[in-house]
Amino acid sequence: MINVEVVAHVTRPELRSSEVSNKFYFTFTVRPEAMKEGLRIRNVVPATEEEARRVLERMDAESSQQGQ
């Protein structure tokens, strides 16, 4: 599975400000056959402990949704 977090900002150049307006979370599943056909996916690891915590929270949320 591939998890992507996108943070959308509203930027006001005239005020030199930017603020978070929304966060989006996308999860993609890769077919096992695609890996056998030569698809390569890079492993990406969190850069900070905070990012790692968010990844684990996201994984826990997905696990609980799949169990329902």
Side-chain angles (χ1 to χ4, degrees), residues 7-58:
V7 180
H9 291 261
V10 173
T11 303
R12 299 180 63 187
E14 70 278 6
L15 299 177
R16 295 184 183 201
S17 69
S18 177
E19 61 183 55
V20 174
S21 65
N22 210 339
K23 288 186 181 181
F24 303 93
Y25 299 95
F26 300 96
T27 301
F28 302 93
T29 303
V30 178
R31 295 178 296 115
E33 311 86 65
M35 302 300 280
K36 292 176 185 171
E37 295 168 1
L39 177 68
R40 293 185 50 195
I41 298 174
R42 293 183 194 176
N43 287 325
V44 179
V45 296
T48 65
E49 189 175 333
E50 180 183 339
E51 285 181 8
R53 215 173 287 124
R54 284 200 317 262
V55 169
L56 290 174
E57 287 171 2
R58 191 78 194 130

